[in-house]
Amino acid sequence: MTATGIRANARIVARADGRGGTALPVLAGDGPLALRRTRASGSEARVMLVGAMSGPLGGDRFSVEVRVEEGARLHVGSAAATIALPGQTKSEARYDVRLAVADDAELHWLPEQLISAGGSDLHVTTRAELGAGARLVLREEQVLGRAGEEPGRLTSRLTVRVAGRTVLDQELSCGPGAPGGWDGPAVLAGHRSVGQLVVVRPEFAEKTIIARAVRDSSVLVPLTASAILVTTVAPDAWLLRQSLDESLRSLDY
């Protein structure tokens, strides 16, 4: 911890164990970022990110690094929602996620919602680097404010690269001080929850996937022959999850 906030890092390395399963030679978290291995499912290792403290608060700097090596399968979830809260300092908090997935490796990155509480200021970046034959299911969900409160300031940037090529680089800024129009009809249209689902599978290249609406406020768009983006807005976190889950099922995943 420093005078301006907490610094915390979590690292996961998943590696094929040579017996049809996945080993975790690196599983390390400090401060509020605790990692717990849970029961494996077939060849897939499973890890839960457990928040050991409140936050991130103003001035905090959190980071998570995940590397899935060739032949490994990894599922990462979180035990509860992450709540961005105001801190004693007025500086923004940062939460950086770096994901690397090798050829013939698979990662399911499925954390619970991020809630932007009133008075908070959080900048989140998620960057995924994938090999040409990698598989990914990545879900992000943001909820603007708890029940009955205005949201804090939330800026979220998501970047996905496949085989060295950028297929997605988008940023959304919401809440007090964000560029005008973020709550208007062209962006959130008054909704309090927004989510993205990125699915990358080499097998998609053998199909014809057409952009389409999944629900009234959810759209599925192919990014490349192997990558698909689903963007959803909803009035609450429950409906947001339902829409993203329906989209994933529609891909027969």
Side-chain angles (χ1 to χ4, degrees), residues 209-221:
I209 298 176
I210 301 173
R212 63 182 186 270
V214 180
R215 290 190 177 190
D216 290 343
S217 56
S218 181
V219 62
L220 183 152
V221 178

Side-chain angles (χ1 to χ4, degrees), residues 15-241:
R15 181 175 298 158
D17 64 7
R19 303 185 303 274
T22 298
L24 299 173
V26 178
L27 187 64
D30 52 30
L33 299 177
L35 298 172
R36 300 289 183 267
R37 180 166 187 164
T38 59
R39 185 182 297 274
S41 175
S43 62
E44 180 185 71
R46 290 179 170 251
V47 174
M48 191 70 69
L49 182 61
V50 180
M53 300 170 60
S54 297
L57 310 178
D60 289 351
R61 299 289 186 270
F62 293 177
S63 64
V64 179
E65 302 171 47
V66 178
R67 186 172 83 245
V68 188
E69 298 181 354
E70 186 173 352
R73 306 286 184 267
L74 177 64
H75 182 290
V76 181
S78 59
T82 297
I83 304 178
L85 297 166
Q88 294 182 342
T89 80
K90 292 186 178 181
S91 58
E92 71 172 12
R94 296 192 65 92
Y95 201 137
D96 298 316
V97 177
R98 298 292 179 266
L99 311 173
V101 189
D103 286 337
D104 191 31
E106 182 167 350
L107 172 64
H108 287 213
W109 177 259
L110 301 171
E112 294 301 309
Q113 297 91 354
L114 169 62
I115 300 173
S116 175
S120 65
D121 186 356
L122 177 63
H123 193 287
V124 181
T125 61
T126 301
R127 185 179 181 90
E129 290 276 356
L130 280 67
R135 295 175 175 82
L136 173 72
V137 178
L138 181 154
R139 183 183 68 213
E140 286 194 341
E141 299 170 310
Q142 290 101 28
V143 179
L144 304 181
R146 294 169 292 190
E149 75 174 0
E150 293 299 312
R153 173 71 180 269
L154 176 63
T155 301
S156 176
R157 183 171 181 176
L158 173 60
T159 305
V160 179
R161 289 169 53 85
V162 179
R165 177 188 176 192
T166 299
V167 301
L168 176 66
D169 190 351
Q170 67 176 25
E171 181 172 289
L172 177 64
S173 187
C174 305
W182 65 269
D183 199 28
V187 187
L188 297 187
H191 293 92
R192 294 179 63 88
S193 301
V194 58
Q196 293 77 231
L197 179 71
V198 178
V199 183
V200 180
R201 295 177 67 186
E203 299 93 322
F204 287 159
E206 302 172 4
K207 303 179 180 180
T208 300
I209 298 176
I210 301 173
R212 63 182 186 270
V214 180
R215 290 190 177 190
D216 290 343
S217 56
S218 181
V219 62
L220 183 152
V221 178
L223 300 173
T224 66
S226 63
I228 291 169
L229 170 69
V230 177
T231 302
T232 300
V233 294
D236 58 46
W238 187 84
L239 289 172
L240 181 71
R241 177 66 59 82

